[in-house]
Amino acid sequence: MYSKELLKGTLKTIILKLLSESDQMYGYQITQKVKEITEGKINLTEGALYPALHKLEADGLLSTEKIEVGNRVRKYYRLTQSGNNTAQEKVEELKEFMETLKSIINISPQKLAWSI
Amino acid sequence: MYSKELLKGTLKTIILKLLSESDQMYGYQITQKVKEITEGKINLTEGALYPALHKLEADGLLSTEKIEVGNRVRKYYRLTQSGNNTAQEKVEELKEFMETLKSIINISPQKLAWSI
DNA sequence: TTGTATGCATAAGAATATTATGTATATTTG
DNA sequence: CAAATATACATAATATTCTTATGCATACAA
């Protein structure tokens, strides 16, 4: 597990990306999926996930559907039209941000000194 | 400029990385350096930077030295021994985190469906 | 029957940022 | 030369977004 603070700000983008690649998903499934893809390196906590889902829904990016499975109810989320657009934007923004971060993380002493 | 929330959690690592590649730097210089390296894409705000620097100093990762320049005082920061170790760790952790994030961001519908 | 897994949700608290403000000197520009 | 911008530090109020803890409930395995 990584220092949790790194995850800050990326959670919504992760949710939107997963939903953009699948028809619909429910909360618990998202946590398991992320755990699986990242080989256990990222574990979403419920206290972070559910408020984030609710916020995305409130913002009109997700719609929900409750489906009974046995005696339990699952709440499925799917992207709205607006959510689909936002998903693409957020993912693109995250990619660019990571490239920019790399430019700092991979800087050499020479390049840094160049203009100090 | 990126959505600010992405920067959350990466600020300390950025500071430690810059200091690990230079002898010493002062706060304002760090903001300018980051702006230059990222071509204006990341602008550190003072309200975030100074508290972060103070925290790193309080944690024993940075030491300070005040130097008069003209009639003004600059507060230079440099890594302590402990800060140097932490810098390496944090940078490594950030790199690994970015790799992990990529595995989510670049996932294809097929791979995702594989185990839904 | 007791723990683990599944499934949702919220509340208290911590961490970390934004925005605004304050103080002060130096330099550039109209 | 006055005013704006740049340099340089700092903190307070507020917002956001997590963690941790708690609660409820069903299903299944040891």
Side-chain angles (χ1 to χ4, degrees), chain A residues 20-45:
Chain A
S20 77
E21 302 294 357
S22 72
D23 188 43
Q24 56 177 10
M25 294 181 82
Y26 56 99
Y28 184 75
Q29 184 184 17
I30 292 175
T31 66
Q32 298 308 302
K33 200 69 214 170
V34 167
K35 191 187 292 182
E36 180 198 320
I37 296 173
T38 66
E39 294 166 354
K41 290 173 193 157
I42 295 180
N43 279 297
L44 304 186
T45 59

Side-chain angles (χ1 to χ4, degrees), chain B:
Chain B
M1 279 291 294
Y2 300 111
S3 155
K4 306 289 193 98
E5 60 189 8
L6 288 177
L7 199 64
K8 288 206 184 207
T10 63
L11 177 56
K12 284 182 190 169
T13 304
I14 289 173
I15 293 172
L16 291 172
K17 170 65 185 179
L18 286 188
L19 287 174
S20 77
E21 301 294 356
S22 73
D23 187 42
Q24 57 176 10
M25 294 181 81
Y26 57 99
Y28 184 75
Q29 184 184 20
I30 292 175
T31 66
Q32 298 308 301
K33 199 68 214 172
V34 168
K35 190 186 292 183
E36 180 198 321
I37 296 173
T38 66
E39 294 166 354
K41 290 171 194 158
I42 295 180
N43 280 296
L44 304 186
T45 58
E46 296 164 300
L49 178 68
Y50 289 115
L53 285 170
H54 299 162
K55 180 67 164 51
L56 290 169
E57 186 185 4
D59 290 347
L61 305 181
L62 303 182
S63 63
T64 61
E65 185 187 0
K66 286 184 180 173
I67 294 183
E68 272 192 61
V69 177
N71 277 344
R72 276 199 296 230
V73 174
R74 282 183 190 162
K75 196 168 167 185
Y76 275 94
Y77 292 86
R78 68 171 68 225
L79 292 180
T80 61
Q81 180 68 58
S82 159
N84 197 55
N85 296 336
T86 303
Q88 311 304 319
E89 288 165 16
K90 287 278 222 178
V91 167
E92 202 47 47
E93 187 184 36
L94 181 53
K95 282 182 182 174
E96 284 174 31
F97 179 71
M98 287 197 286
E99 284 306 308
T100 303
L101 256 193
K102 270 196 210 166
S103 69
I104 296 179
I105 291 310
N106 295 325
I107 200 167
S108 64
Q110 294 93 328
K111 274 194 285 183
L112 187 65
W114 190 64
S115 65
I116 281 182

Side-chain angles (χ1 to χ4, degrees), chain A:
Chain A
M1 281 290 294
Y2 301 111
S3 155
K4 306 290 193 100
E5 60 190 8
L6 287 177
L7 200 63
K8 289 210 181 203
T10 63
L11 177 56
K12 284 181 191 167
T13 304
I14 289 173
I15 293 172
L16 292 172
K17 169 64 185 180
L18 286 188
L19 287 174
S20 77
E21 302 294 357
S22 72
D23 188 43
Q24 56 177 10
M25 294 181 82
Y26 56 99
Y28 184 75
Q29 184 184 17
I30 292 175
T31 66
Q32 298 308 302
K33 200 69 214 170
V34 167
K35 191 187 292 182
E36 180 198 320
I37 296 173
T38 66
E39 294 166 354
K41 290 173 193 157
I42 295 180
N43 279 297
L44 304 186
T45 59
E46 296 164 298
L49 178 67
Y50 290 115
L53 285 170
H54 299 163
K55 180 68 162 55
L56 289 170
E57 187 185 4
D59 290 347
L61 304 182
L62 303 182
S63 64
T64 61
E65 185 187 1
K66 286 185 180 174
I67 294 184
E68 272 192 61
V69 178
N71 277 342
R72 275 198 295 231
V73 175
R74 282 182 190 162
K75 195 168 168 186
Y76 276 93
Y77 292 86
R78 69 170 67 224
L79 293 180
T80 61
Q81 181 67 59
S82 158
N84 197 55
N85 296 335
T86 303
Q88 311 304 319
E89 289 165 16
K90 287 277 222 178
V91 168
E92 203 46 47
E93 187 184 37
L94 181 53
K95 282 182 182 175
E96 285 174 30
F97 178 71
M98 287 197 288
E99 284 305 308
T100 304
L101 257 193
K102 271 196 210 165
S103 70
I104 297 179
I105 291 310
N106 295 325
I107 199 167
S108 64
Q110 294 92 328
K111 273 195 285 182
L112 187 65
W114 190 63
S115 65
I116 281 181

